[in-house]
Amino acid sequence: MTQALRPAPLALAVFFALSTPAWAQSETEEKASAHKGTHTLEAIEVTASPLRQGIDDLARPVDVLAGEELDDRKAGNLGETLERQPGVQNASFGAGVGRPVIRGLEGARVQVLSNGNSALDVSTVSADHAIGIEPFLADQIEVLKGPATLLYGSGAIGGAVNVVDGRVPTAQAGRTFSGRAEIRHGGVDDSGTGMARVDMDAGPLTFHVDVFRRSASDYRIPGYAFSDAKIAEEIEEGEDPDHFARGRLPNSELTTQGGAVGGSWFGQRAWFGFGASTYRSDYGIPPGAHAHGEEEHEDEDHDHDEEHGHEEEVVRLDLRQDRFEARGGVRDLGVLEEINWRVVRSLYEHTELEGDEIGTRFQNDGLEARFEAVQRERNGWRGAFGLQFSERDFSAIGDEAFVPPSLSRDIGLFALQEKDFGQYKLEFGARHDRVRVTPEAEADAVSRSASSLAAGGLWRFSDAVHLSLNLNRAERVPTAEELFSDGPHIATGSFEIGDAGLDNEVALGAELGLHLHQGRFEGSVSVFRTQFDDFIYLADTDEEEDDLPVRLWTQGDAVFTGWEAELGVELADNASGRWQLRLFADGVDGKLDAGGRLPRIAPGRVGSDLVWQQGPWRARLGAVRVATQNDVAEGESATEGYTLVDAGVAYQWNVGNAGWEVFVEGRNLGDREARQHTSYLKDYAPLPGRNLMSGVRISF
């Protein structure tokens, strides 16, 4: 069983030690705080929805990370940036890969978007493939929890993450010249990160330019790279423990760089924009994660390698993605408030290098077009409808080409409607997709339809508290990997066999949420349950092929249940400064109806953040406790619980029209060994040890 989750001692100490001045606030201070804090969420617009509403106006569960909070959490990949959001964890694969896990679901069930369009990479094909989006450039990151299929198709049955970076301006900057830049250094991996962005207005034209670069060496770890269980297994097989990596994680270095140019024209009723961007990353895969067959147990010592006959090769991924995007809109068209459209073309390629040799080359040429029309309010009803088309021409050539080349096409129609009835609000939505996957192999093409329905409601039974209820039925069409795999997939350590006869995956879900916005308090708590019919997963067959266990893509009914809670409190705002406390916790469970657990289900967590601000100074102290996870699937190893402590301090000042900020941050200050249960590498690659970072930001 999963270890009972107890609040982190630091969270309790912070809460009880600092809550006293909060209750002692004067009535005047409380009213002032209420005025400042009650509507903070409404100021953030959710761009992933065609209606572009504030968070508080939506019945659907949405989180937005922006502003100073986003600055404090930015990391080298999207999963790590979002892992302190309730209900979101990170599925890492070394330093170069971090994919968000939403309520226990990931991969082909969580859609990752850039400005409302698919990433169009191959990150869902394999756990060791990076997402081609740079979080350091983000203006805000939106997390849509639960099925987002109504907006983005069957690939979002578990949710969606939308990174908004303004590379194609959708509104004028409001200034002739503005922008921001940041440089930082990290101690745990001797990393250097730099980014710069400029936005310019020139009459009806607005231009955007950005550039970024990150480089890092192998990161430091508190102990051995292998887990205790893996070390015991290796020793039992005759390995010498003196040969195990310790102190640094081998082959975890990386270099990532890219940039973009864009521009838009704005008229009285219409606008049009275009942008081009590139993303390039060269990152290593830790040893053991990409070993072939018996090579998995080989060692870096040359004498020991001779006993095995050969040395394990260093594996790196060299990734490049170029994107071209056009978008625009027209306002005031009779019964329509506005029409918006966008088209994205992506050219993606990455090469897996084994030593100096090319092992496998993956290519993905993608095209996506989307049309959205927002209707004028009529009899209190607001809504939008639209059409989305996507095409993916995928190929993999080489030793690990476990998926045959394929052409996938998807066309979908969707509609959303909502209406306020005083203190009540209702939301409805529907979507229908037609998907066709055509392999180059001898197998026949697979054509499927998928339909999704959703209904949600808000009950604002007071100005401070409202209740939300969401019901949904969503369908997911199997991916090409699930349908046609036939070969060794080294990232998962298995020989995968697909099944072209797989049925659609169907999810029936319900969520109940309570939301608080009262004076110094901002909070929410929610419970959810999703019943999957024909859930698609990899099942063991007790057979071997190429020295790897054979696993078959199969189906079975499954259920996911969970809960999330978050509370923000303004403890005090007085001569000592402004003190704010954030507490959060979450838990999820996933199991098959026929018995048995699903693998890599995120363990429960509880965390806290204390933030202090006074004048130009701000500081932060936080901790998160991750529970032991021993409710595991058959053949899966358990992971120990751990506590991570982080802190930061920043100082701001102005020079002319420019705002400067210098900052120092520390992560994993306790230098604890931490292994993410959501990662395929939990037994090979722990998280980085103590990391002290420093840097400077400027906005102008």
Side-chain angles (χ1 to χ4, degrees), residues 333-352:
L333 292 172
V335 297
L336 298 179
E337 186 175 301
E338 61 178 328
I339 293 176
N340 294 299
W341 59 270
R342 50 188 185 265
V343 179
V344 176
R345 172 79 163 138
S346 170
L347 304 175
Y348 176 98
E349 176 179 298
H350 89 243
T351 302
E352 297 188 359

Side-chain angles (χ1 to χ4, degrees), residues 443-477:
D444 294 333
V446 173
S447 295
R448 300 284 176 79
S449 294
S451 298
S452 299
L453 301 169
L458 283 176
W459 177 23
R460 308 180 185 96
F461 52 84
S462 77
D463 292 338
V465 183
H466 69 260
L467 191 70
S468 64
L469 175 65
N470 285 278
L471 306 173
N472 55 76
R473 178 197 183 276
E475 280 191 75
R476 183 177 75 89
V477 175

Side-chain angles (χ1 to χ4, degrees), residues 405-426:
S406 62
L407 179 66
S408 301
R409 290 193 175 99
D410 180 356
I411 186 166
L413 292 166
F414 62 89
L416 308 171
Q417 291 292 314
E418 65 178 36
K419 184 176 181 178
D420 281 292
F421 298 87
Q423 63 184 130
Y424 302 100
K425 180 185 179 181
L426 294 179

Side-chain angles (χ1 to χ4, degrees), residues 367 388-393 406-412 433-438 446-448 477:
L367 174 68
Q388 180 178 356
F389 170 80
S390 63
E391 179 180 275
R392 185 183 83 155
D393 188 357
S406 62
L407 179 66
S408 301
R409 290 193 175 99
D410 180 356
I411 186 166
D433 285 87
R434 184 66 180 172
V435 180
R436 182 178 178 87
V437 183
T438 306
V446 173
S447 295
R448 300 284 176 79
V477 175

Side-chain angles (χ1 to χ4, degrees), residues 405-600:
S406 62
L407 179 66
S408 301
R409 290 193 175 99
D410 180 356
I411 186 166
L413 292 166
F414 62 89
L416 308 171
Q417 291 292 314
E418 65 178 36
K419 184 176 181 178
D420 281 292
F421 298 87
Q423 63 184 130
Y424 302 100
K425 180 185 179 181
L426 294 179
E427 299 178 1
F428 300 97
R431 179 176 177 121
H432 181 76
D433 285 87
R434 184 66 180 172
V435 180
R436 182 178 178 87
V437 183
T438 306
E440 280 191 11
E442 296 180 358
D444 294 333
V446 173
S447 295
R448 300 284 176 79
S449 294
S451 298
S452 299
L453 301 169
L458 283 176
W459 177 23
R460 308 180 185 96
F461 52 84
S462 77
D463 292 338
V465 183
H466 69 260
L467 191 70
S468 64
L469 175 65
N470 285 278
L471 306 173
N472 55 76
R473 178 197 183 276
E475 280 191 75
R476 183 177 75 89
V477 175
T479 64
E481 300 80 54
E482 295 162 339
L483 294 168
F484 305 119
S485 290
D486 187 14
H489 187 183
I490 308 304
T492 62
S494 61
F495 192 101
E496 293 185 12
I497 299 176
D499 182 356
L502 291 174
D503 293 327
N504 285 2
E505 190 176 87
V506 180
L508 298 173
E511 177 178 351
L512 183 66
L514 184 67
H515 309 264
L516 170 68
H517 310 291
Q518 173 63 47
R520 295 177 291 106
F521 298 92
E522 298 272 356
S524 64
V525 60
S526 61
V527 293
F528 59 88
R529 185 182 191 276
T530 303
Q531 174 69 53
F532 282 92
D533 293 337
D534 297 321
F535 186 85
I536 301 172
Y537 67 100
L538 274 174
D540 288 320
T541 62
D542 296 325
E543 298 178 3
E544 283 194 359
E545 183 79 24
D546 292 344
D547 296 317
L548 293 170
V550 175
R551 295 190 175 111
L552 177 68
W553 283 106
T554 188
Q555 293 185 290
D557 296 344
V559 61
F560 283 73
T561 56
W563 59 275
E564 298 164 9
E566 184 175 21
L567 177 65
V569 184
E570 185 176 290
L571 299 175
D573 190 357
N574 50 38
S576 67
R578 187 182 186 190
W579 299 82
Q580 295 173 293
L581 177 67
R582 171 181 176 261
L583 303 172
F584 75 93
D586 57 28
V588 65
D589 189 23
K591 51 189 176 182
L592 295 166
D593 287 1
R597 302 279 175 172
L598 290 164
R600 297 178 306 284

